[in-house]
Amino acid sequence: KWITNAASRKDVHRLRSVHQLLVTSVATVRADNPLYTVRHGAEELGLADIRNPDVIILKSESDLTDAERQSLNIFQFNNIQK
């Protein structure tokens, strides 16, 4: 069940394509199993081309499982202090 309408979901895909990096949390990845890909064509989004963003997942001490890593371009930064 969606909490947004089709136009706002399309805007999200356009924003994903025009930004190089997306930041999320490990809690979001585990709760939602999100696909951070652009799932509309360039013409439909009014863009010259489309590109999937790279993803940074903020986490505390636990690591992601192999299943959570699937289909994401993940940069891991270890030992980042608060």
Side-chain angles (χ1 to χ4, degrees):
K1 184 175 181 179
W2 297 104
I3 60 172
T4 59
N5 63 30
S8 63
R9 290 191 301 273
K10 187 174 173 180
D11 285 342
V12 167
H13 288 274
R14 186 185 56 75
L15 288 169
R16 286 179 186 169
S17 185
V18 300
H19 293 283
Q20 296 177 3
L21 187 64
L22 189 145
V23 179
T24 190
S25 71
V26 70
T28 298
V29 170
R30 288 189 174 139
D32 298 336
N33 191 25
L35 296 174
Y36 293 120
T37 57
V38 178
R39 296 186 293 278
H40 292 278
E43 185 174 321
E44 184 180 358
L45 297 175
L47 301 172
D49 61 354
I50 58 169
R51 179 186 176 284
N52 290 320
D54 290 325
V55 178
I56 289 182
I57 299 174
L58 302 177
K59 65 180 185 69
S60 58
E61 297 176 14
S62 61
D63 290 327
L64 295 170
T65 66
D66 289 339
E68 292 165 337
R69 292 176 186 278
Q70 189 175 356
S71 79
L72 296 175
N73 293 324
I74 297 174
F75 296 95
Q76 274 195 315
F77 297 95
N78 296 317
N79 302 318
I80 294 178
Q81 302 298 315
K82 292 183 181 179

